[in-house]
Amino acid sequence: MTLIQGQEHTPKGSLVVVGTGISVAGQMTIATKSHIENADIVYMGIMNKIGEHVVTNINPNSVSLDDLYQEGKSRAVTYAQMADRIVQSVVEGKKVCVAFYGHPGVFVTPSHEAIRRVRELGLDAQMLPGVSAEDCLIADLGIDPSRFGCQSYEATQFLFRDYRIDPHMTQIIWQIGLAGEATLSVLDANHSESGLAMLADILAEHYPEDHELIIYEAATLPLCEPKIQKVLLRELQFAKPTLISTLVVPSLGMPAYRQDRLAKLGLTEQQVINFRSPKVN
Amino acid sequence: MAKKTIVDFLVELDSNSKLMDAYKKDPVGTAEKYGLSGEDLQLIKDQDWDEVAKRFDDTSKATRVISY
């Protein structure tokens, strides 16, 4: 608290949520580094001790949120407590930075929740983008999500809800190591077998059993290569994914042209093909 | 000067492409020249990256979707 012209003045708190990337240091943006450096307090949700070390070196007043995780405790509770802790610091007038690994808005419930609540209080809150696991996947596997279109979803959510697969699109299925795990309270990947078997059955409705899939894990350390394991669809249920494994199901290829839509636009299939692949003399 | 650790080396490798190029050509020599010794240097010699990852990563803290 400071004194301005005889009146007590409580500084207005603010929040910025940043992502440190998937690797330990090199994927942090210049803007992210600056926000970490200039914050009154930095909260960290980083699953890597070296990543925490990097953030703490930039701003010694950095505090891990890891104490809120406990075996048997629902992630829903943990994330609500994270958001509470973050919002409380902003309410106290602090300039708060929260650093999550990866992209802070991808698969991170408390970041969105904290921003929503801080804005509701009329205070400043913003999110900066970071390098996500999906970004690493695209680079490591050489998959352009725009090539065939892409469906991207979390395994358990997909199993529980009535979603539809379009096999012409690339499928990216996250967290297959927890497929079908409903309690949100386990911290290992030993519960995925029945969920994986169900996922394999659903995929088999759309793909041949010898369709080659990829189980992928981004590298977090610069010494390590990304883990890229190829499995056939019929082998999927026996795979041993980890908590950070992602399943990639390559496209069956582009769907046929919709002649009716082309005609409405005054086009023919041949014209579109010619425009797409012009001859160079 | 403070002793260089495997943590310092990993941070530097992740953000210094010149060091990474040198490391790819000569992992142990580059680590030694950087200042690693003892147990930290042994980790580079063993090339047991799963063990290195286990030491620093805690995937049980990977964030999850809770909106299903």
Side-chain angles (χ1 to χ4, degrees):
Chain A
M1 203 178 290
T2 55
L3 211 61
I4 298 175
Q5 292 179 341
Q7 287 181 322
E8 278 186 354
H9 172 71
T10 305
K12 262 178 137 186
S14 65
L15 172 64
V16 60
V17 181
V18 299
T20 59
I22 297 297
S23 72
V24 292
Q27 294 171 353
M28 187 185 288
T29 67
I30 295 165
T32 286
K33 194 175 172 193
S34 174
H35 279 286
I36 291 171
E37 202 166 15
N38 293 310
D40 295 329
I41 185 167
V42 181
Y43 287 113
M44 299 181 290
I46 300 172
M47 66 164 191
N48 183 290
K49 293 295 163 211
I50 304 174
E52 286 188 349
H53 169 84
V54 169
V55 170
T56 306
N57 264 358
I58 298 169
N59 187 329
N61 197 26
S62 295
V63 181
S64 173
L65 294 166
D66 281 2
D67 60 300
L68 297 173
Y69 287 104
Q70 280 163 20
E71 181 74 44
K73 176 179 171 184
S74 168
R75 287 298 179 98
V77 175
T78 299
Y79 295 159
Q81 290 172 338
M82 283 184 183
D84 286 347
R85 192 178 284 182
I86 294 162
V87 173
Q88 182 57 37
S89 283
V90 178
V91 168
E92 286 166 6
K94 294 192 178 96
K95 195 173 174 183
V96 179
C97 179
V98 185
F100 285 101
Y101 74 95
H103 188 303
V106 178
F107 282 72
V108 188
T109 305
S111 60
H112 290 290
E113 178 61 12
I115 284 177
R116 188 190 64 75
R117 285 170 54 187
V118 168
R119 283 180 180 162
E120 238 174 41
L121 294 168
L123 298 169
D124 286 343
Q126 71 169 132
M127 178 182 287
L128 266 59
V131 175
S132 70
E134 187 164 22
D135 297 318
C136 297
L137 181 151
I138 289 165
D140 290 334
L141 300 183
I143 288 175
D144 183 339
S146 74
R147 174 73 179 88
F148 298 104
C150 184
Q151 290 181 311
S152 176
Y153 41 83
E154 192 266 346
T156 300
Q157 192 176 47
F158 178 75
L159 291 181
F160 288 0
R161 300 278 180 166
D162 190 18
Y163 285 108
R164 297 281 185 274
I165 284 178
D166 181 341
H168 297 293
M169 293 187 182
T170 304
Q171 307 291 315
I172 303 180
I173 309 175
W174 300 94
Q175 298 185 335
I176 57 168
L178 290 162
E181 199 295 300
T183 69
L184 293 169
S185 62
V186 302
L187 300 177
D188 60 59
N190 300 324
H191 303 74
S192 62
E193 203 174 320
S194 55
L196 269 185
M198 186 183 287
L199 185 60
D201 284 346
I202 297 168
L203 291 173
E205 294 169 16
H206 303 275
Y207 301 89
E209 63 171 19
D210 61 350
H211 195 56
E212 192 174 75
L213 320 178
I214 301 163
I215 297 176
Y216 169 82
E217 275 179 38
T220 54
L221 299 176
L223 300 173
C224 303
E225 294 295 322
K227 291 186 177 164
I228 300 169
Q229 182 195 356
K230 294 191 174 170
V231 294
L232 299 179
L233 174 51
R234 64 170 169 269
E235 302 163 343
L236 177 60
Q237 72 176 99
F238 307 110
K240 298 284 176 216
T242 71
L243 288 173
I244 56 169
S245 295
T246 301
L247 182 69
V248 177
V249 185
S251 158
L252 289 180
M254 295 278 253
Y257 281 106
R258 281 287 296 259
Q259 305 293 342
D260 56 334
R261 292 180 194 158
L262 292 178
K264 275 185 188 168
L265 292 167
L267 293 165
T268 65
E269 182 176 330
Q270 193 53 53
Q271 277 178 313
V272 171
I273 291 168
N274 290 344
F275 286 135
R276 206 187 62 202
S277 313
K279 287 195 178 87
V280 180
N281 292 322
Chain B
M1 200 169 66
K3 193 184 155 206
K4 296 280 181 68
T5 67
I6 185 82
V7 171
D8 300 320
F9 187 55
L10 291 170
V11 171
E12 192 64 23
L13 265 187
D14 203 32
S15 47
N16 179 340
S17 61
K18 218 171 172 180
L19 185 69
M20 180 56 98
D21 285 346
Y23 173 81
K24 281 177 181 167
K25 284 180 197 147
D26 178 11
V28 176
T30 303
E32 249 172 337
K33 198 171 162 193
Y34 180 79
L36 294 195
S37 59
E39 194 192 334
D40 284 350
L41 187 63
Q42 195 59 45
L43 285 170
I44 303 295
K45 285 179 181 167
D46 292 345
Q47 306 227 334
D48 186 354
W49 308 139
D50 281 345
E51 184 51 42
V52 177
K54 227 184 281 172
R55 182 186 284 208
F56 298 113
D57 283 345
D58 184 356
T59 56
S60 71
K61 308 290 190 314
T63 47
R64 285 193 65 182
V65 167
I66 60 166
S67 56
Y68 55 72

